[in-house]
PDB file of all heavy atoms in Angstrom:
ATOM      1  N   ALA H 647      89.867  92.107 112.246  1.00 97.00           N
ATOM      2  CA  ALA H 647      88.426  92.159 112.481  1.00 97.00           C
ATOM      3  C   ALA H 647      87.669  92.416 111.165  1.00 97.00           C
ATOM      4  O   ALA H 647      86.617  91.831 110.915  1.00 97.00           O
ATOM      5  CB  ALA H 647      88.084  93.232 113.507  1.00 97.00           C
ATOM      6  N   GLY H 648      88.224  93.271 110.329  1.00 97.00           N
ATOM      7  CA  GLY H 648      87.614  93.536 109.031  1.00 97.00           C
ATOM      8  C   GLY H 648      87.743  92.350 108.092  1.00 97.00           C
ATOM      9  O   GLY H 648      86.802  92.041 107.337  1.00 97.00           O
ATOM     10  N   TYR H 649      88.868  91.680 108.144  1.00 97.00           N
ATOM     11  CA  TYR H 649      89.054  90.504 107.286  1.00 97.00           C
ATOM     12  C   TYR H 649      88.059  89.424 107.645  1.00 97.00           C
ATOM     13  O   TYR H 649      87.470  88.777 106.753  1.00 97.00           O
ATOM     14  CB  TYR H 649      90.504  89.984 107.448  1.00 97.00           C
ATOM     15  CG  TYR H 649      90.894  88.983 106.391  1.00 97.00           C
ATOM     16  CD1 TYR H 649      91.485  89.388 105.213  1.00 97.00           C
ATOM     17  CD2 TYR H 649      90.679  87.613 106.570  1.00 97.00           C
ATOM     18  CE1 TYR H 649      91.871  88.462 104.227  1.00 97.00           C
ATOM     19  CE2 TYR H 649      91.040  86.694 105.621  1.00 97.00           C
ATOM     20  CZ  TYR H 649      91.628  87.119 104.445  1.00 97.00           C
ATOM     21  OH  TYR H 649      91.989  86.218 103.481  1.00 97.00           O
ATOM     22  N   LEU H 650      87.853  89.202 108.939  1.00 97.00           N
ATOM     23  CA  LEU H 650      86.910  88.176 109.365  1.00 97.00           C
ATOM     24  C   LEU H 650      85.481  88.509 108.944  1.00 97.00           C
ATOM     25  O   LEU H 650      84.642  87.620 108.754  1.00 97.00           O
ATOM     26  CB  LEU H 650      86.978  88.018 110.886  1.00 97.00           C
ATOM     27  CG  LEU H 650      88.250  87.304 111.383  1.00 97.00           C
ATOM     28  CD1 LEU H 650      88.455  87.568 112.873  1.00 97.00           C
ATOM     29  CD2 LEU H 650      88.175  85.798 111.124  1.00 97.00           C
ATOM     30  N   ALA H 651      85.210  89.808 108.761  1.00 96.00           N
ATOM     31  CA  ALA H 651      83.884  90.260 108.309  1.00 96.00           C
ATOM     32  C   ALA H 651      83.829  90.398 106.780  1.00 96.00           C
ATOM     33  O   ALA H 651      82.842  90.937 106.272  1.00 96.00           O
ATOM     34  CB  ALA H 651      83.534  91.580 108.978  1.00 96.00           C
ATOM     35  N   LEU H 652      84.878  89.922 106.094  1.00 96.00           N
ATOM     36  CA  LEU H 652      84.938  89.958 104.621  1.00 96.00           C
ATOM     37  C   LEU H 652      84.930  91.389 104.066  1.00 96.00           C
ATOM     38  O   LEU H 652      84.381  91.655 102.990  1.00 96.00           O
ATOM     39  CB  LEU H 652      83.803  89.150 103.993  1.00 96.00           C
ATOM     40  CG  LEU H 652      83.769  87.650 104.349  1.00 96.00           C
ATOM     41  CD1 LEU H 652      82.654  86.962 103.550  1.00 96.00           C
ATOM     42  CD2 LEU H 652      85.096  86.980 104.093  1.00 96.00           C
ATOM     43  N   GLU H 653      85.546  92.284 104.795  1.00 95.00           N
ATOM     44  CA  GLU H 653      85.659  93.670 104.328  1.00 95.00           C
ATOM     45  C   GLU H 653      86.384  93.716 102.973  1.00 95.00           C
ATOM     46  O   GLU H 653      86.034  94.498 102.102  1.00 95.00           O
ATOM     47  CB  GLU H 653      86.433  94.497 105.370  1.00 95.00           C
ATOM     48  CG  GLU H 653      86.661  95.953 104.997  1.00 95.00           C
ATOM     49  CD  GLU H 653      85.489  96.862 105.299  1.00 95.00           C
ATOM     50  OE1 GLU H 653      84.451  96.358 105.790  1.00 95.00           O
ATOM     51  OE2 GLU H 653      85.607  98.077 105.041  1.00 95.00           O
ATOM     52  N   HIS H 654      87.382  92.876 102.795  1.00 93.00           N
ATOM     53  CA  HIS H 654      88.162  92.885 101.559  1.00 93.00           C
ATOM     54  C   HIS H 654      87.327  92.444 100.364  1.00 93.00           C
ATOM     55  O   HIS H 654      87.508  92.958  99.260  1.00 93.00           O
ATOM     56  CB  HIS H 654      89.408  92.003 101.690  1.00 93.00           C
ATOM     57  CG  HIS H 654      89.138  90.596 102.124  1.00 93.00           C
ATOM     58  ND1 HIS H 654      88.482  90.284 103.297  1.00 93.00           N
ATOM     59  CD2 HIS H 654      89.433  89.415 101.563  1.00 93.00           C
ATOM     60  CE1 HIS H 654      88.394  88.981 103.423  1.00 93.00           C
ATOM     61  NE2 HIS H 654      88.957  88.419 102.379  1.00 93.00           N
ATOM     62  N   VAL H 655      86.402  91.522 100.579  1.00 93.00           N
ATOM     63  CA  VAL H 655      85.517  91.102  99.500  1.00 93.00           C
ATOM     64  C   VAL H 655      84.523  92.208  99.155  1.00 93.00           C
ATOM     65  O   VAL H 655      84.270  92.501  97.981  1.00 93.00           O
ATOM     66  CB  VAL H 655      84.783  89.799  99.856  1.00 93.00           C
ATOM     67  CG1 VAL H 655      83.808  89.412  98.755  1.00 93.00           C
ATOM     68  CG2 VAL H 655      85.775  88.670 100.100  1.00 93.00           C
ATOM     69  N   SER H 656      83.989  92.830 100.175  1.00 94.00           N
ATOM     70  CA  SER H 656      83.015  93.915  99.961  1.00 94.00           C
ATOM     71  C   SER H 656      83.641  95.057  99.179  1.00 94.00           C
ATOM     72  O   SER H 656      83.022  95.617  98.254  1.00 94.00           O
ATOM     73  CB  SER H 656      82.475  94.422 101.294  1.00 94.00           C
ATOM     74  OG  SER H 656      81.769  93.388 101.970  1.00 94.00           O
ATOM     75  N   ILE H 657      84.869  95.421  99.526  1.00 93.00           N
ATOM     76  CA  ILE H 657      85.537  96.521  98.828  1.00 93.00           C
ATOM     77  C   ILE H 657      85.768  96.159  97.370  1.00 93.00           C
ATOM     78  O   ILE H 657      85.456  96.945  96.462  1.00 93.00           O
ATOM     79  CB  ILE H 657      86.878  96.866  99.503  1.00 93.00           C
ATOM     80  CG1 ILE H 657      86.655  97.439 100.906  1.00 93.00           C
ATOM     81  CG2 ILE H 657      87.682  97.842  98.644  1.00 93.00           C
ATOM     82  CD1 ILE H 657      87.937  97.610 101.689  1.00 93.00           C
ATOM     83  N   ARG H 658      86.266  94.956  97.117  1.00 90.00           N
ATOM     84  CA  ARG H 658      86.577  94.573  95.734  1.00 90.00           C
ATOM     85  C   ARG H 658      85.309  94.411  94.910  1.00 90.00           C
ATOM     86  O   ARG H 658      85.294  94.701  93.712  1.00 90.00           O
ATOM     87  CB  ARG H 658      87.424  93.297  95.724  1.00 90.00           C
ATOM     88  CG  ARG H 658      88.870  93.548  96.177  1.00 90.00           C
ATOM     89  CD  ARG H 658      89.739  92.324  96.014  1.00 90.00           C
ATOM     90  NE  ARG H 658      89.403  91.302  96.980  1.00 90.00           N
ATOM     91  CZ  ARG H 658      89.729  90.016  96.863  1.00 90.00           C
ATOM     92  NH1 ARG H 658      90.358  89.584  95.791  1.00 90.00           N
ATOM     93  NH2 ARG H 658      89.417  89.149  97.808  1.00 90.00           N
ATOM     94  N   GLU H 659      84.218  93.952  95.552  1.00 92.00           N
ATOM     95  CA  GLU H 659      82.958  93.863  94.823  1.00 92.00           C
ATOM     96  C   GLU H 659      82.472  95.264  94.428  1.00 92.00           C
ATOM     97  O   GLU H 659      82.047  95.503  93.290  1.00 92.00           O
ATOM     98  CB  GLU H 659      81.897  93.172  95.679  1.00 92.00           C
ATOM     99  CG  GLU H 659      80.531  93.099  95.002  1.00 92.00           C
ATOM    100  CD  GLU H 659      79.429  92.692  95.944  1.00 92.00           C
ATOM    101  OE1 GLU H 659      79.646  92.691  97.175  1.00 92.00           O
ATOM    102  OE2 GLU H 659      78.316  92.385  95.448  1.00 92.00           O
ATOM    103  N   ARG H 660      82.519  96.178  95.398  1.00 93.00           N
ATOM    104  CA  ARG H 660      82.035  97.524  95.153  1.00 93.00           C
ATOM    105  C   ARG H 660      82.831  98.231  94.051  1.00 93.00           C
ATOM    106  O   ARG H 660      82.295  99.022  93.276  1.00 93.00           O
ATOM    107  CB  ARG H 660      82.126  98.327  96.463  1.00 93.00           C
ATOM    108  CG  ARG H 660      81.505  99.705  96.388  1.00 93.00           C
ATOM    109  CD  ARG H 660      81.361 100.314  97.764  1.00 93.00           C
ATOM    110  NE  ARG H 660      82.614 100.659  98.390  1.00 93.00           N
ATOM    111  CZ  ARG H 660      83.150 100.050  99.440  1.00 93.00           C
ATOM    112  NH1 ARG H 660      82.526  99.009  99.990  1.00 93.00           N
ATOM    113  NH2 ARG H 660      84.293 100.435  99.949  1.00 93.00           N
ATOM    114  N   LEU H 661      84.125  97.929  93.961  1.00 91.00           N
ATOM    115  CA  LEU H 661      84.994  98.613  93.026  1.00 91.00           C
ATOM    116  C   LEU H 661      85.205  97.833  91.725  1.00 91.00           C
ATOM    117  O   LEU H 661      85.977  98.254  90.860  1.00 91.00           O
ATOM    118  CB  LEU H 661      86.359  98.901  93.671  1.00 91.00           C
ATOM    119  CG  LEU H 661      86.302  99.779  94.942  1.00 91.00           C
ATOM    120  CD1 LEU H 661      87.698  99.983  95.495  1.00 91.00           C
ATOM    121  CD2 LEU H 661      85.642 101.112  94.643  1.00 91.00           C
ATOM    122  N   GLY H 662      84.549  96.687  91.573  1.00 90.00           N
ATOM    123  CA  GLY H 662      84.647  95.926  90.327  1.00 90.00           C
ATOM    124  C   GLY H 662      85.991  95.265  90.130  1.00 90.00           C
ATOM    125  O   GLY H 662      86.462  95.152  88.983  1.00 90.00           O
ATOM    126  N   LEU H 663      86.635  94.800  91.212  1.00 85.00           N
ATOM    127  CA  LEU H 663      87.974  94.210  91.128  1.00 85.00           C
ATOM    128  C   LEU H 663      87.964  92.698  91.147  1.00 85.00           C
ATOM    129  O   LEU H 663      89.029  92.075  91.112  1.00 85.00           O
ATOM    130  CB  LEU H 663      88.840  94.749  92.288  1.00 85.00           C
ATOM    131  CG  LEU H 663      89.054  96.266  92.305  1.00 85.00           C
ATOM    132  CD1 LEU H 663      89.860  96.661  93.545  1.00 85.00           C
ATOM    133  CD2 LEU H 663      89.796  96.713  91.041  1.00 85.00           C
ATOM    134  N   LEU H 664      86.789  92.083  91.241  1.00 86.00           N
ATOM    135  CA  LEU H 664      86.725  90.632  91.271  1.00 86.00           C
ATOM    136  C   LEU H 664      86.707  90.051  89.865  1.00 86.00           C
ATOM    137  O   LEU H 664      86.160  90.654  88.939  1.00 86.00           O
ATOM    138  CB  LEU H 664      85.472  90.163  92.019  1.00 86.00           C
ATOM    139  CG  LEU H 664      85.385  90.551  93.504  1.00 86.00           C
ATOM    140  CD1 LEU H 664      84.029  90.128  94.080  1.00 86.00           C
ATOM    141  CD2 LEU H 664      86.510  89.901  94.301  1.00 86.00           C
TER     142      LEU H 664
END
Side-chain angles (χ1 to χ4, degrees):
Y649 193 90
L650 288 162
L652 300 185
E653 179 83 359
H654 54 303
V655 177
S656 297
I657 293 172
R658 287 187 289 161
E659 178 193 12
R660 187 168 69 249
L661 301 180
L663 299 176
L664 296 175

